[in-house]
Amino acid sequence: MSEKNSMSRRHFVAGASGLVLASAATRGRAAEETSKLAVDGGEKAVKAVPPSQPRWGEVEQKQLQEMLKHSSLFYWKGPQTEILKQRFQEFCPVKYAHNCSSGTAAIHIAVAAAGIGLGDEVITSPITDIGTVIGIIYQQAVPVFADLGEGTYNLDVADVERRITPKTKAIIAVHLTGNPCDLDALKALADRHNLILIEDCAQAWGAKYRGRPIGTVGHIACFSLQNSKHITCGDGGMVGSSDERFGPLLQKYGDKGGNRSKWGGFDGFATNYRMSEPQAAVAAAQLTRLEEIVQKRAKLGNLLTEKIADLPGIIPHDVRPEDRAVYWFYMFRIRPEAFKCGRSEFVKALQAEGATVQGGYIKYPLYQEPVFQNHGFFAGRWPVKEMGLTDMDFTKHKCPEAEEILVTNIRVPIYEHMTEEYVLGVAEAIRKVARHYAV
Ligand SMILES: *Cc1c(COP(=O)(O)O)cnc(C)c1O
């Protein structure tokens, strides 16, 4: 928003609150009153967060009632599982789809189906849910963290390329917050080095990369249905692929290593990552709500960027205009040198304005977590390292931009029940606080 627009908005607010804008003196005072920080006793920029709405209801109830008519609650050939897979494939057109118990499970299944094993390296993001790398480590492979874009918070393709070695087998691209990674560049890089590209779409339900549904550019796509995600069944996941090398293996690696359609005993080895019919019923019902949810979130997040993009010292969420980011949350950064205050003071001032923001996200980039620093994944030990199959030392790992992101970022929750008016209030709060603390 330009300064001119923000002035007219302030005048509008002042006018609506009954102040007469007759003289220059009154006008000056009005502007001063509305720009005085709430933390210093001024008026709040944000009125109230609109109340949240129920995330499930009649649609889920109907689907669950249907489910209870069946004699089995097991997933294999289960009617709810079939409906879920079909609806999933409608929005993410992949040839093979498999439902499983979590997003972590989906990624482990993908990694196993991709044939990743002992000592192989998989390049991924250090700012993500730990579920992104659990499957890599369980397959006795080695996660290698690459650095991120300043405002996209997604893999920096040039840094990914620098970290490719003869051991690299795959890239897991995390679409953090639902902002699509640069998939064409990652796919080209993967193809050049004969790597498998796995998309972690856990936070990106309904996102689009240059018009293409998220999950359809890489070789394998993984989604989470955990409670905090755009759509949910409490806990659950989906994994999909159109690649004939991997697609037919997804069911097997999600179900103890046995192929149920062509039973030939256990020619593979995997754990039990099955999803049962009650979960599939809820997930299938939730999918009917997806488009509405993500359209709303995309609109609200983009609106916030539009209103704060011109602010000095602020790095807005960097979304390519041709993509659809679905804002699991919105994240901006402050440039420390541009403000007289630190992040915690900035956040406190925003909270006083009525904006429900938070500084930080995960505590550390994953490689700084104690279990990585100790290389203690399996009863305190890490077999691949002890066997000399990797010289990975997480105590020496560095992703400078990712480390900087986590100490300068501010998260703004975006939910489908929020209104444009609320988001405009948050934007005004950010403008007010940024102006106040500008050096
Ligand atoms: C939530 C999440 C996961 C893990 O999903 P679960 O269902 O919690 O196992 C993986 N990656 C990302 C980016 C996530 O946000």
Side-chain angles (χ1 to χ4, degrees), residues 252-286:
K252 164 167 129 172
Y253 283 112
D255 189 357
K256 300 181 180 175
N259 181 344
R260 285 185 186 271
S261 59
K262 245 191 341 206
W263 190 253
F266 294 98
D267 62 344
F269 184 71
T271 186
N272 174 359
Y273 280 144
R274 295 187 301 238
M275 173 196 277
S276 68
E277 284 280 278
Q279 249 111 7
V282 176
Q286 286 268 291

PDB file of all heavy atoms in Angstrom, residues 252-286:
ATOM      1  N   LYS A 252       2.928 -51.390  -1.634  1.00  0.00           N
ATOM      2  CA  LYS A 252       3.783 -52.389  -0.983  1.00  0.00           C
ATOM      3  C   LYS A 252       4.627 -51.771   0.137  1.00  0.00           C
ATOM      4  O   LYS A 252       4.708 -52.329   1.235  1.00  0.00           O
ATOM      5  CB  LYS A 252       4.662 -53.004  -2.077  1.00  0.00           C
ATOM      6  CG  LYS A 252       5.853 -53.779  -1.611  1.00  0.00           C
ATOM      7  CD  LYS A 252       6.407 -54.586  -2.781  1.00  0.00           C
ATOM      8  CE  LYS A 252       7.891 -54.364  -2.949  1.00  0.00           C
ATOM      9  NZ  LYS A 252       8.459 -55.290  -3.955  1.00  0.00           N
ATOM     10  N   TYR A 253       5.222 -50.606  -0.132  1.00  0.00           N
ATOM     11  CA  TYR A 253       6.073 -49.992   0.893  1.00  0.00           C
ATOM     12  C   TYR A 253       5.264 -49.294   1.987  1.00  0.00           C
ATOM     13  O   TYR A 253       5.823 -48.829   2.966  1.00  0.00           O
ATOM     14  CB  TYR A 253       7.113 -49.067   0.254  1.00  0.00           C
ATOM     15  CG  TYR A 253       8.242 -49.861  -0.359  1.00  0.00           C
ATOM     16  CD1 TYR A 253       8.424 -49.908  -1.732  1.00  0.00           C
ATOM     17  CD2 TYR A 253       9.094 -50.607   0.459  1.00  0.00           C
ATOM     18  CE1 TYR A 253       9.445 -50.675  -2.290  1.00  0.00           C
ATOM     19  CE2 TYR A 253      10.112 -51.374  -0.088  1.00  0.00           C
ATOM     20  CZ  TYR A 253      10.283 -51.405  -1.462  1.00  0.00           C
ATOM     21  OH  TYR A 253      11.286 -52.173  -2.009  1.00  0.00           O
ATOM     22  N   GLY A 254       3.949 -49.246   1.796  1.00  0.00           N
ATOM     23  CA  GLY A 254       3.094 -48.717   2.861  1.00  0.00           C
ATOM     24  C   GLY A 254       2.442 -49.826   3.667  1.00  0.00           C
ATOM     25  O   GLY A 254       1.697 -49.571   4.612  1.00  0.00           O
ATOM     26  N   ASP A 255       2.710 -51.073   3.276  1.00  0.00           N
ATOM     27  CA  ASP A 255       1.981 -52.191   3.884  1.00  0.00           C
ATOM     28  C   ASP A 255       2.875 -53.418   4.050  1.00  0.00           C
ATOM     29  O   ASP A 255       2.675 -54.441   3.403  1.00  0.00           O
ATOM     30  CB  ASP A 255       0.748 -52.494   3.004  1.00  0.00           C
ATOM     31  CG  ASP A 255      -0.213 -53.487   3.652  1.00  0.00           C
ATOM     32  OD1 ASP A 255       0.089 -53.988   4.750  1.00  0.00           O
ATOM     33  OD2 ASP A 255      -1.257 -53.763   3.030  1.00  0.00           O
ATOM     34  N   LYS A 256       3.876 -53.289   4.872  1.00  0.00           N
ATOM     35  CA  LYS A 256       4.731 -54.399   5.309  1.00  0.00           C
ATOM     36  C   LYS A 256       5.569 -55.057   4.213  1.00  0.00           C
ATOM     37  O   LYS A 256       6.139 -56.119   4.430  1.00  0.00           O
ATOM     38  CB  LYS A 256       3.883 -55.477   6.006  1.00  0.00           C
ATOM     39  CG  LYS A 256       3.152 -54.957   7.240  1.00  0.00           C
ATOM     40  CD  LYS A 256       2.360 -56.062   7.902  1.00  0.00           C
ATOM     41  CE  LYS A 256       1.625 -55.560   9.142  1.00  0.00           C
ATOM     42  NZ  LYS A 256       0.758 -56.605   9.714  1.00  0.00           N
ATOM     43  N   GLY A 257       5.580 -54.433   3.022  1.00  0.00           N
ATOM     44  CA  GLY A 257       6.440 -54.977   1.962  1.00  0.00           C
ATOM     45  C   GLY A 257       5.778 -56.000   1.059  1.00  0.00           C
ATOM     46  O   GLY A 257       6.463 -56.636   0.258  1.00  0.00           O
ATOM     47  N   GLY A 258       4.460 -56.147   1.179  1.00  0.00           N
ATOM     48  CA  GLY A 258       3.760 -57.128   0.336  1.00  0.00           C
ATOM     49  C   GLY A 258       2.814 -56.463  -0.652  1.00  0.00           C
ATOM     50  O   GLY A 258       2.084 -55.535  -0.309  1.00  0.00           O
ATOM     51  N   ASN A 259       2.819 -56.947  -1.893  1.00  0.00           N
ATOM     52  CA  ASN A 259       1.945 -56.421  -2.926  1.00  0.00           C
ATOM     53  C   ASN A 259       0.613 -57.183  -2.889  1.00  0.00           C
ATOM     54  O   ASN A 259       0.550 -58.366  -3.200  1.00  0.00           O
ATOM     55  CB  ASN A 259       2.620 -56.607  -4.291  1.00  0.00           C
ATOM     56  CG  ASN A 259       1.783 -56.051  -5.428  1.00  0.00           C
ATOM     57  OD1 ASN A 259       0.580 -55.793  -5.274  1.00  0.00           O
ATOM     58  ND2 ASN A 259       2.410 -55.860  -6.575  1.00  0.00           N
ATOM     59  N   ARG A 260      -0.457 -56.489  -2.494  1.00  0.00           N
ATOM     60  CA  ARG A 260      -1.740 -57.170  -2.300  1.00  0.00           C
ATOM     61  C   ARG A 260      -2.458 -57.513  -3.598  1.00  0.00           C
ATOM     62  O   ARG A 260      -3.306 -58.398  -3.625  1.00  0.00           O
ATOM     63  CB  ARG A 260      -2.672 -56.320  -1.428  1.00  0.00           C
ATOM     64  CG  ARG A 260      -2.270 -56.359   0.021  1.00  0.00           C
ATOM     65  CD  ARG A 260      -3.240 -55.634   0.923  1.00  0.00           C
ATOM     66  NE  ARG A 260      -2.670 -55.610   2.259  1.00  0.00           N
ATOM     67  CZ  ARG A 260      -2.871 -56.575   3.175  1.00  0.00           C
ATOM     68  NH1 ARG A 260      -3.643 -57.599   2.918  1.00  0.00           N
ATOM     69  NH2 ARG A 260      -2.292 -56.473   4.360  1.00  0.00           N
ATOM     70  N   SER A 261      -2.160 -56.822  -4.705  1.00  0.00           N
ATOM     71  CA  SER A 261      -2.890 -57.117  -5.937  1.00  0.00           C
ATOM     72  C   SER A 261      -2.288 -58.332  -6.656  1.00  0.00           C
ATOM     73  O   SER A 261      -2.955 -58.960  -7.470  1.00  0.00           O
ATOM     74  CB  SER A 261      -2.930 -55.896  -6.852  1.00  0.00           C
ATOM     75  OG  SER A 261      -1.633 -55.487  -7.163  1.00  0.00           O
ATOM     76  N   LYS A 262      -1.054 -58.629  -6.375  1.00  0.00           N
ATOM     77  CA  LYS A 262      -0.386 -59.766  -7.048  1.00  0.00           C
ATOM     78  C   LYS A 262       0.427 -60.465  -5.985  1.00  0.00           C
ATOM     79  O   LYS A 262       1.640 -60.352  -5.918  1.00  0.00           O
ATOM     80  CB  LYS A 262       0.558 -59.222  -8.126  1.00  0.00           C
ATOM     81  CG  LYS A 262       0.142 -59.610  -9.514  1.00  0.00           C
ATOM     82  CD  LYS A 262       1.184 -59.322 -10.590  1.00  0.00           C
ATOM     83  CE  LYS A 262       2.274 -58.329 -10.261  1.00  0.00           C
ATOM     84  NZ  LYS A 262       2.892 -57.622 -11.302  1.00  0.00           N
ATOM     85  N   TRP A 263      -0.260 -61.152  -5.077  1.00  0.00           N
ATOM     86  CA  TRP A 263       0.435 -61.626  -3.883  1.00  0.00           C
ATOM     87  C   TRP A 263       1.553 -62.595  -4.223  1.00  0.00           C
ATOM     88  O   TRP A 263       1.362 -63.638  -4.830  1.00  0.00           O
ATOM     89  CB  TRP A 263      -0.553 -62.286  -2.912  1.00  0.00           C
ATOM     90  CG  TRP A 263       0.125 -62.536  -1.604  1.00  0.00           C
ATOM     91  CD1 TRP A 263       0.520 -63.730  -1.104  1.00  0.00           C
ATOM     92  CD2 TRP A 263       0.533 -61.553  -0.662  1.00  0.00           C
ATOM     93  NE1 TRP A 263       1.149 -63.558   0.099  1.00  0.00           N
ATOM     94  CE2 TRP A 263       1.185 -62.229   0.397  1.00  0.00           C
ATOM     95  CE3 TRP A 263       0.441 -60.155  -0.607  1.00  0.00           C
ATOM     96  CZ2 TRP A 263       1.720 -61.570   1.500  1.00  0.00           C
ATOM     97  CZ3 TRP A 263       0.975 -59.497   0.481  1.00  0.00           C
ATOM     98  CH2 TRP A 263       1.598 -60.197   1.524  1.00  0.00           C
ATOM     99  N   GLY A 264       2.745 -62.239  -3.834  1.00  0.00           N
ATOM    100  CA  GLY A 264       3.864 -63.130  -4.105  1.00  0.00           C
ATOM    101  C   GLY A 264       4.725 -63.245  -2.872  1.00  0.00           C
ATOM    102  O   GLY A 264       5.934 -63.377  -2.961  1.00  0.00           O
ATOM    103  N   GLY A 265       4.082 -63.126  -1.720  1.00  0.00           N
ATOM    104  CA  GLY A 265       4.852 -63.141  -0.481  1.00  0.00           C
ATOM    105  C   GLY A 265       5.552 -61.809  -0.277  1.00  0.00           C
ATOM    106  O   GLY A 265       5.272 -60.842  -0.989  1.00  0.00           O
ATOM    107  N   PHE A 266       6.451 -61.779   0.651  1.00  0.00           N
ATOM    108  CA  PHE A 266       7.137 -60.529   0.986  1.00  0.00           C
ATOM    109  C   PHE A 266       8.468 -60.439   0.256  1.00  0.00           C
ATOM    110  O   PHE A 266       9.487 -60.905   0.746  1.00  0.00           O
ATOM    111  CB  PHE A 266       7.335 -60.423   2.503  1.00  0.00           C
ATOM    112  CG  PHE A 266       6.028 -60.297   3.246  1.00  0.00           C
ATOM    113  CD1 PHE A 266       5.437 -61.404   3.833  1.00  0.00           C
ATOM    114  CD2 PHE A 266       5.383 -59.069   3.330  1.00  0.00           C
ATOM    115  CE1 PHE A 266       4.228 -61.287   4.510  1.00  0.00           C
ATOM    116  CE2 PHE A 266       4.174 -58.951   4.002  1.00  0.00           C
ATOM    117  CZ  PHE A 266       3.595 -60.058   4.583  1.00  0.00           C
ATOM    118  N   ASP A 267       8.433 -59.787  -0.900  1.00  0.00           N
ATOM    119  CA  ASP A 267       9.699 -59.598  -1.614  1.00  0.00           C
ATOM    120  C   ASP A 267      10.300 -58.229  -1.301  1.00  0.00           C
ATOM    121  O   ASP A 267      11.330 -57.849  -1.816  1.00  0.00           O
ATOM    122  CB  ASP A 267       9.492 -59.775  -3.125  1.00  0.00           C
ATOM    123  CG  ASP A 267       8.529 -58.757  -3.696  1.00  0.00           C
ATOM    124  OD1 ASP A 267       7.797 -58.107  -2.921  1.00  0.00           O
ATOM    125  OD2 ASP A 267       8.505 -58.588  -4.934  1.00  0.00           O
ATOM    126  N   GLY A 268       9.602 -57.497  -0.444  1.00  0.00           N
ATOM    127  CA  GLY A 268      10.131 -56.217   0.018  1.00  0.00           C
ATOM    128  C   GLY A 268      10.014 -56.164   1.522  1.00  0.00           C
ATOM    129  O   GLY A 268       9.426 -57.066   2.136  1.00  0.00           O
ATOM    130  N   PHE A 269      10.556 -55.113   2.114  1.00  0.00           N
ATOM    131  CA  PHE A 269      10.512 -54.998   3.566  1.00  0.00           C
ATOM    132  C   PHE A 269      10.068 -53.583   3.931  1.00  0.00           C
ATOM    133  O   PHE A 269      10.634 -52.606   3.438  1.00  0.00           O
ATOM    134  CB  PHE A 269      11.896 -55.289   4.157  1.00  0.00           C
ATOM    135  CG  PHE A 269      11.910 -55.290   5.654  1.00  0.00           C
ATOM    136  CD1 PHE A 269      11.303 -56.320   6.369  1.00  0.00           C
ATOM    137  CD2 PHE A 269      12.522 -54.261   6.363  1.00  0.00           C
ATOM    138  CE1 PHE A 269      11.313 -56.327   7.763  1.00  0.00           C
ATOM    139  CE2 PHE A 269      12.528 -54.261   7.750  1.00  0.00           C
ATOM    140  CZ  PHE A 269      11.927 -55.297   8.452  1.00  0.00           C
ATOM    141  N   ALA A 270       9.029 -53.491   4.737  1.00  0.00           N
ATOM    142  CA  ALA A 270       8.538 -52.173   5.135  1.00  0.00           C
ATOM    143  C   ALA A 270       7.732 -52.319   6.417  1.00  0.00           C
ATOM    144  O   ALA A 270       7.391 -53.437   6.817  1.00  0.00           O
ATOM    145  CB  ALA A 270       7.656 -51.580   4.039  1.00  0.00           C
ATOM    146  N   THR A 271       7.419 -51.184   7.021  1.00  0.00           N
ATOM    147  CA  THR A 271       6.605 -51.234   8.231  1.00  0.00           C
ATOM    148  C   THR A 271       5.127 -51.076   7.858  1.00  0.00           C
ATOM    149  O   THR A 271       4.774 -51.025   6.684  1.00  0.00           O
ATOM    150  CB  THR A 271       7.089 -50.184   9.257  1.00  0.00           C
ATOM    151  OG1 THR A 271       6.356 -50.356  10.464  1.00  0.00           O
ATOM    152  CG2 THR A 271       6.912 -48.783   8.746  1.00  0.00           C
ATOM    153  N   ASN A 272       4.276 -51.058   8.844  1.00  0.00           N
ATOM    154  CA  ASN A 272       2.839 -50.900   8.599  1.00  0.00           C
ATOM    155  C   ASN A 272       2.467 -49.428   8.676  1.00  0.00           C
ATOM    156  O   ASN A 272       2.459 -48.838   9.755  1.00  0.00           O
ATOM    157  CB  ASN A 272       2.049 -51.719   9.631  1.00  0.00           C
ATOM    158  CG  ASN A 272       0.549 -51.475   9.526  1.00  0.00           C
ATOM    159  OD1 ASN A 272       0.089 -50.691   8.703  1.00  0.00           O
ATOM    160  ND2 ASN A 272      -0.215 -52.153  10.355  1.00  0.00           N
ATOM    161  N   TYR A 273       2.186 -48.841   7.528  1.00  0.00           N
ATOM    162  CA  TYR A 273       1.797 -47.430   7.446  1.00  0.00           C
ATOM    163  C   TYR A 273       0.382 -47.306   6.891  1.00  0.00           C
ATOM    164  O   TYR A 273       0.065 -46.368   6.177  1.00  0.00           O
ATOM    165  CB  TYR A 273       2.764 -46.689   6.511  1.00  0.00           C
ATOM    166  CG  TYR A 273       4.089 -46.292   7.122  1.00  0.00           C
ATOM    167  CD1 TYR A 273       5.259 -46.334   6.361  1.00  0.00           C
ATOM    168  CD2 TYR A 273       4.182 -45.817   8.430  1.00  0.00           C
ATOM    169  CE1 TYR A 273       6.480 -45.924   6.884  1.00  0.00           C
ATOM    170  CE2 TYR A 273       5.406 -45.404   8.959  1.00  0.00           C
ATOM    171  CZ  TYR A 273       6.550 -45.463   8.181  1.00  0.00           C
ATOM    172  OH  TYR A 273       7.743 -45.043   8.692  1.00  0.00           O
ATOM    173  N   ARG A 274      -0.490 -48.287   7.209  1.00  0.00           N
ATOM    174  CA  ARG A 274      -1.826 -48.289   6.609  1.00  0.00           C
ATOM    175  C   ARG A 274      -2.748 -47.229   7.221  1.00  0.00           C
ATOM    176  O   ARG A 274      -2.591 -46.844   8.372  1.00  0.00           O
ATOM    177  CB  ARG A 274      -2.460 -49.668   6.779  1.00  0.00           C
ATOM    178  CG  ARG A 274      -1.729 -50.769   6.021  1.00  0.00           C
ATOM    179  CD  ARG A 274      -2.459 -52.090   6.075  1.00  0.00           C
ATOM    180  NE  ARG A 274      -2.663 -52.581   7.417  1.00  0.00           N
ATOM    181  CZ  ARG A 274      -2.222 -53.763   7.866  1.00  0.00           C
ATOM    182  NH1 ARG A 274      -1.526 -54.556   7.071  1.00  0.00           N
ATOM    183  NH2 ARG A 274      -2.478 -54.134   9.100  1.00  0.00           N
ATOM    184  N   MET A 275      -3.710 -46.803   6.424  1.00  0.00           N
ATOM    185  CA  MET A 275      -4.773 -45.922   6.895  1.00  0.00           C
ATOM    186  C   MET A 275      -6.077 -46.731   6.871  1.00  0.00           C
ATOM    187  O   MET A 275      -6.341 -47.452   5.916  1.00  0.00           O
ATOM    188  CB  MET A 275      -4.920 -44.714   5.959  1.00  0.00           C
ATOM    189  CG  MET A 275      -6.139 -43.826   6.301  1.00  0.00           C
ATOM    190  SD  MET A 275      -6.583 -42.691   4.980  1.00  0.00           S
ATOM    191  CE  MET A 275      -5.454 -41.353   5.293  1.00  0.00           C
ATOM    192  N   SER A 276      -6.890 -46.602   7.915  1.00  0.00           N
ATOM    193  CA  SER A 276      -8.130 -47.395   7.945  1.00  0.00           C
ATOM    194  C   SER A 276      -9.296 -46.617   7.329  1.00  0.00           C
ATOM    195  O   SER A 276      -9.194 -45.417   7.061  1.00  0.00           O
ATOM    196  CB  SER A 276      -8.456 -47.800   9.381  1.00  0.00           C
ATOM    197  OG  SER A 276      -8.816 -46.653  10.121  1.00  0.00           O
ATOM    198  N   GLU A 277     -10.400 -47.311   7.095  1.00  0.00           N
ATOM    199  CA  GLU A 277     -11.560 -46.735   6.415  1.00  0.00           C
ATOM    200  C   GLU A 277     -12.181 -45.511   7.122  1.00  0.00           C
ATOM    201  O   GLU A 277     -12.584 -44.570   6.442  1.00  0.00           O
ATOM    202  CB  GLU A 277     -12.623 -47.815   6.192  1.00  0.00           C
ATOM    203  CG  GLU A 277     -12.273 -48.765   5.050  1.00  0.00           C
ATOM    204  CD  GLU A 277     -12.597 -48.159   3.696  1.00  0.00           C
ATOM    205  OE1 GLU A 277     -13.762 -48.213   3.275  1.00  0.00           O
ATOM    206  OE2 GLU A 277     -11.670 -47.626   3.059  1.00  0.00           O
ATOM    207  N   PRO A 278     -12.277 -45.499   8.466  1.00  0.00           N
ATOM    208  CA  PRO A 278     -12.840 -44.282   9.076  1.00  0.00           C
ATOM    209  C   PRO A 278     -12.041 -43.031   8.717  1.00  0.00           C
ATOM    210  O   PRO A 278     -12.613 -41.980   8.413  1.00  0.00           O
ATOM    211  CB  PRO A 278     -12.770 -44.578  10.580  1.00  0.00           C
ATOM    212  CG  PRO A 278     -12.791 -46.071  10.680  1.00  0.00           C
ATOM    213  CD  PRO A 278     -12.071 -46.569   9.464  1.00  0.00           C
ATOM    214  N   GLN A 279     -10.723 -43.154   8.729  1.00  0.00           N
ATOM    215  CA  GLN A 279      -9.887 -42.008   8.357  1.00  0.00           C
ATOM    216  C   GLN A 279     -10.080 -41.645   6.890  1.00  0.00           C
ATOM    217  O   GLN A 279     -10.155 -40.474   6.537  1.00  0.00           O
ATOM    218  CB  GLN A 279      -8.420 -42.349   8.582  1.00  0.00           C
ATOM    219  CG  GLN A 279      -7.824 -41.567   9.704  1.00  0.00           C
ATOM    220  CD  GLN A 279      -7.515 -42.443  10.875  1.00  0.00           C
ATOM    221  OE1 GLN A 279      -7.632 -43.662  10.788  1.00  0.00           O
ATOM    222  NE2 GLN A 279      -7.140 -41.822  11.967  1.00  0.00           N
ATOM    223  N   ALA A 280     -10.139 -42.669   6.047  1.00  0.00           N
ATOM    224  CA  ALA A 280     -10.316 -42.421   4.612  1.00  0.00           C
ATOM    225  C   ALA A 280     -11.639 -41.700   4.350  1.00  0.00           C
ATOM    226  O   ALA A 280     -11.719 -40.806   3.508  1.00  0.00           O
ATOM    227  CB  ALA A 280     -10.259 -43.736   3.838  1.00  0.00           C
ATOM    228  N   ALA A 281     -12.681 -42.073   5.117  1.00  0.00           N
ATOM    229  CA  ALA A 281     -13.989 -41.434   4.935  1.00  0.00           C
ATOM    230  C   ALA A 281     -13.903 -39.934   5.248  1.00  0.00           C
ATOM    231  O   ALA A 281     -14.397 -39.101   4.482  1.00  0.00           O
ATOM    232  CB  ALA A 281     -15.027 -42.109   5.840  1.00  0.00           C
ATOM    233  N   VAL A 282     -13.262 -39.606   6.367  1.00  0.00           N
ATOM    234  CA  VAL A 282     -13.147 -38.190   6.750  1.00  0.00           C
ATOM    235  C   VAL A 282     -12.278 -37.443   5.742  1.00  0.00           C
ATOM    236  O   VAL A 282     -12.617 -36.341   5.302  1.00  0.00           O
ATOM    237  CB  VAL A 282     -12.583 -38.043   8.188  1.00  0.00           C
ATOM    238  CG1 VAL A 282     -12.363 -36.578   8.535  1.00  0.00           C
ATOM    239  CG2 VAL A 282     -13.526 -38.687   9.197  1.00  0.00           C
ATOM    240  N   ALA A 283     -11.169 -38.063   5.346  1.00  0.00           N
ATOM    241  CA  ALA A 283     -10.267 -37.407   4.387  1.00  0.00           C
ATOM    242  C   ALA A 283     -10.972 -37.183   3.047  1.00  0.00           C
ATOM    243  O   ALA A 283     -10.821 -36.125   2.432  1.00  0.00           O
ATOM    244  CB  ALA A 283      -9.004 -38.245   4.197  1.00  0.00           C
ATOM    245  N   ALA A 284     -11.744 -38.174   2.608  1.00  0.00           N
ATOM    246  CA  ALA A 284     -12.460 -38.044   1.330  1.00  0.00           C
ATOM    247  C   ALA A 284     -13.458 -36.892   1.413  1.00  0.00           C
ATOM    248  O   ALA A 284     -13.607 -36.116   0.470  1.00  0.00           O
ATOM    249  CB  ALA A 284     -13.177 -39.350   0.994  1.00  0.00           C
ATOM    250  N   ALA A 285     -14.142 -36.767   2.545  1.00  0.00           N
ATOM    251  CA  ALA A 285     -15.095 -35.668   2.719  1.00  0.00           C
ATOM    252  C   ALA A 285     -14.360 -34.325   2.747  1.00  0.00           C
ATOM    253  O   ALA A 285     -14.800 -33.347   2.133  1.00  0.00           O
ATOM    254  CB  ALA A 285     -15.885 -35.866   4.009  1.00  0.00           C
ATOM    255  N   GLN A 286     -13.225 -34.296   3.442  1.00  0.00           N
ATOM    256  CA  GLN A 286     -12.465 -33.044   3.541  1.00  0.00           C
ATOM    257  C   GLN A 286     -11.988 -32.567   2.167  1.00  0.00           C
ATOM    258  O   GLN A 286     -11.918 -31.358   1.930  1.00  0.00           O
ATOM    259  CB  GLN A 286     -11.260 -33.253   4.472  1.00  0.00           C
ATOM    260  CG  GLN A 286     -11.661 -33.322   5.942  1.00  0.00           C
ATOM    261  CD  GLN A 286     -11.611 -31.959   6.593  1.00  0.00           C
ATOM    262  OE1 GLN A 286     -10.549 -31.384   6.788  1.00  0.00           O
ATOM    263  NE2 GLN A 286     -12.768 -31.426   6.931  1.00  0.00           N
TER     264      GLN A 286
END
